[in-house]
Amino acid sequence: MKLSVCIPVFNFDVRELVFELKREIKEQNINAEIILIDDASNHQFKTINNEIISEVNNFIFLEKNIGRSKIRNLFLDYTKGDYLLFLDCDGKIIKPDFLSIYIEYLKNNTKTDVLYGGRIVAKTLLNKKYILRWKFATERENLPVFKRREKPYLSFQTNNFIIKKDIFAKVQFDPEFENYGYEDLLFAMDLKSENVTIDHIDNPIFNNDLETNEAYLKKVEESVESLAKMLKKHSLRPKISEIKLVSAYNFILKTYSNTFFLLLFSLIENTLKKNLLSDNPNLRNLDFYKLGLLFRKMK
């Protein structure tokens, strides 16, 4: 079994991640390759990451940014492994046997097509300017493995997962969605529609790059834009109907209260944003804010 480690890179110093992967591959004599594709990063990050060109099997630098979905699909053209391990460039490996855990599981579970290992963040936060992203991660995203297994598709993320190459050749990321937001859940639902099972284990990556409250709120707005674009494609609506935000949107539509909801949102939008950018953000306010943005973008 050969493993291809696939790392899309954008404006991040990926040297530490690569060196840690190289260490385990060498020490454990793992049959693996490391492939990086840079999605038109800024010059300073290209210069920094140039140092590891000789440390990886292939490092492709794109001249034009192609987005989160297309760049992942592009790894099919450069990988030779039976399995592809996708890692985000801002991840940090915290287990010395990280690759070995995956390989051992796959050897013992040969029918596994897709495997998600999870993600964690710091248990305590030293700077409140990152609290919104940190709070969302700790309370909503980074679930223990037993919780993830209850809803294996909705709990899937793209920061740390393995997929059989032949499965990925059949089910790829939708290239229409280039920006941040919900492309991982759409991919999971595409897998579900093809009866591809997602397994979950406890083999997390540490999220090494929390955004400030302001930066994360902008990414939230971008993600809602992506979700609205998906909803406007009627063929995708059944696939994403399980997403909580979509369920809430559909419920309000069915009760014919969307006009009232939009009016209410316009009245309290600034109050919601003020709370979300504060030192003590309420995630229910974030839910309401997302839903208001979704209705506005769907008008």
Side-chain angles (χ1 to χ4, degrees), residues 1-5 30-34 80-85 99 102-103 106 162:
M1 183 184 79
K2 186 179 180 69
L3 181 67
S4 296
V5 184
I30 295 171
N31 185 13
E33 61 178 0
I34 302 174
K80 299 175 182 176
D82 309 293
Y83 292 87
L84 310 184
L85 167 60
L99 295 176
Y102 270 137
I103 290 168
L106 293 172
I162 284 183

Side-chain angles (χ1 to χ4, degrees), residues 217-266:
L217 203 57
K218 286 181 181 178
K219 289 185 77 171
V220 164
E221 292 163 1
E222 185 180 344
S223 73
V224 175
E225 183 82 47
S226 292
L227 186 60
K229 188 177 178 181
M230 292 176 191
L231 275 171
K232 288 173 182 176
K233 289 191 69 174
H234 289 278
S235 61
L236 294 182
R237 285 195 173 194
K239 290 183 179 180
I240 60 176
S241 61
E242 294 179 52
I243 296 173
K244 285 184 178 180
L245 188 55
V246 176
S247 297
Y249 172 82
N250 287 334
F251 175 79
I252 290 174
L253 281 183
K254 287 177 182 177
T255 56
Y256 301 101
S257 51
N258 45 305
T259 301
F260 170 76
F261 182 84
L262 264 172
L263 176 61
L264 177 61
F265 177 65
S266 66

Side-chain angles (χ1 to χ4, degrees), residues 136-189:
F136 186 80
T138 54
E139 295 184 21
R140 299 282 185 84
E141 274 188 333
N142 302 346
L143 302 174
V145 67
F146 74 92
K147 279 284 186 185
R148 287 192 268 121
R149 285 172 177 160
E150 291 173 3
K151 296 182 177 180
Y153 295 95
L154 291 177
S155 300
F156 174 80
Q157 297 181 66
T158 55
N159 67 294
N160 173 26
F161 78 99
I162 284 183
I163 185 168
K164 282 182 178 176
K165 189 175 183 179
D166 60 349
I167 295 292
F168 193 48
K170 297 174 185 175
V171 184
Q172 299 178 36
F173 288 89
D174 192 324
E176 185 177 342
F177 302 100
E178 299 177 0
N179 297 326
Y180 173 85
Y182 295 99
E183 78 283 349
D184 49 358
L185 287 177
L186 178 58
F187 177 64
M189 293 307 167

Side-chain angles (χ1 to χ4, degrees), residues 11-257:
N11 288 348
F12 200 82
D13 180 351
V14 76
R15 292 175 297 178
E16 181 182 350
L17 176 59
V18 167
F19 286 135
E20 181 57 25
L21 290 166
K22 285 277 291 186
R23 177 203 59 77
E24 187 183 358
I25 289 170
K26 184 177 180 181
E27 289 181 2
Q28 301 301 322
N29 195 27
I30 295 171
N31 185 13
E33 61 178 0
I34 302 174
I35 312 295
L36 283 76
I37 304 179
D38 182 280
D39 201 9
S41 294
N42 295 338
H43 178 72
Q44 82 177 89
F45 288 103
K46 286 183 179 179
T47 302
I48 290 170
N49 291 324
N50 260 326
E51 296 179 17
I52 55 171
I53 288 178
S54 61
E55 301 292 330
V56 298
N57 297 83
N58 205 346
F59 200 157
I60 300 95
F61 291 87
L62 303 181
E63 293 299 319
K64 182 181 178 181
N65 186 281
I66 62 173
R68 298 166 62 88
S69 296
K70 287 181 181 178
I71 196 169
R72 290 191 175 97
N73 294 341
L74 192 58
F75 280 95
L76 278 171
D77 297 339
Y78 296 98
T79 48
K80 299 175 182 176
D82 309 293
Y83 292 87
L84 310 184
L85 167 60
F86 283 91
L87 298 175
D88 280 358
C89 62
D90 60 1
K92 181 178 181 179
I93 291 173
I94 52 176
K95 292 186 177 183
D97 54 348
F98 172 74
L99 295 176
S100 301
I101 290 171
Y102 270 137
I103 290 168
E104 187 66 21
Y105 184 92
L106 293 172
K107 284 181 177 178
N108 294 326
N109 299 271
T110 55
K111 292 184 178 180
T112 293
D113 293 323
V114 182
L115 183 60
Y116 178 56
R119 171 167 60 181
I120 61 171
V121 293
K123 291 182 179 180
T124 57
L125 188 67
L126 300 177
N127 194 326
K128 289 289 184 72
K129 71 178 183 178
Y130 303 108
I131 192 169
L132 180 60
R133 180 69 184 99
W134 178 84
K135 198 170 186 179
F136 186 80
T138 54
E139 295 184 21
R140 299 282 185 84
E141 274 188 333
N142 302 346
L143 302 174
V145 67
F146 74 92
K147 279 284 186 185
R148 287 192 268 121
R149 285 172 177 160
E150 291 173 3
K151 296 182 177 180
Y153 295 95
L154 291 177
S155 300
F156 174 80
Q157 297 181 66
T158 55
N159 67 294
N160 173 26
F161 78 99
I162 284 183
I163 185 168
K164 282 182 178 176
K165 189 175 183 179
D166 60 349
I167 295 292
F168 193 48
K170 297 174 185 175
V171 184
Q172 299 178 36
F173 288 89
D174 192 324
E176 185 177 342
F177 302 100
E178 299 177 0
N179 297 326
Y180 173 85
Y182 295 99
E183 78 283 349
D184 49 358
L185 287 177
L186 178 58
F187 177 64
M189 293 307 167
D190 282 337
L191 291 170
K192 185 177 182 180
S193 68
E194 294 294 327
N195 296 314
V196 177
T197 302
I198 298 178
D199 294 341
H200 290 257
I201 63 170
D202 184 25
N203 193 26
I205 284 282
F206 182 82
N207 186 5
N208 204 23
D209 187 35
L210 287 178
E211 299 97 349
T212 63
N213 295 348
E214 290 81 2
Y216 181 60
L217 203 57
K218 286 181 181 178
K219 289 185 77 171
V220 164
E221 292 163 1
E222 185 180 344
S223 73
V224 175
E225 183 82 47
S226 292
L227 186 60
K229 188 177 178 181
M230 292 176 191
L231 275 171
K232 288 173 182 176
K233 289 191 69 174
H234 289 278
S235 61
L236 294 182
R237 285 195 173 194
K239 290 183 179 180
I240 60 176
S241 61
E242 294 179 52
I243 296 173
K244 285 184 178 180
L245 188 55
V246 176
S247 297
Y249 172 82
N250 287 334
F251 175 79
I252 290 174
L253 281 183
K254 287 177 182 177
T255 56
Y256 301 101
S257 51

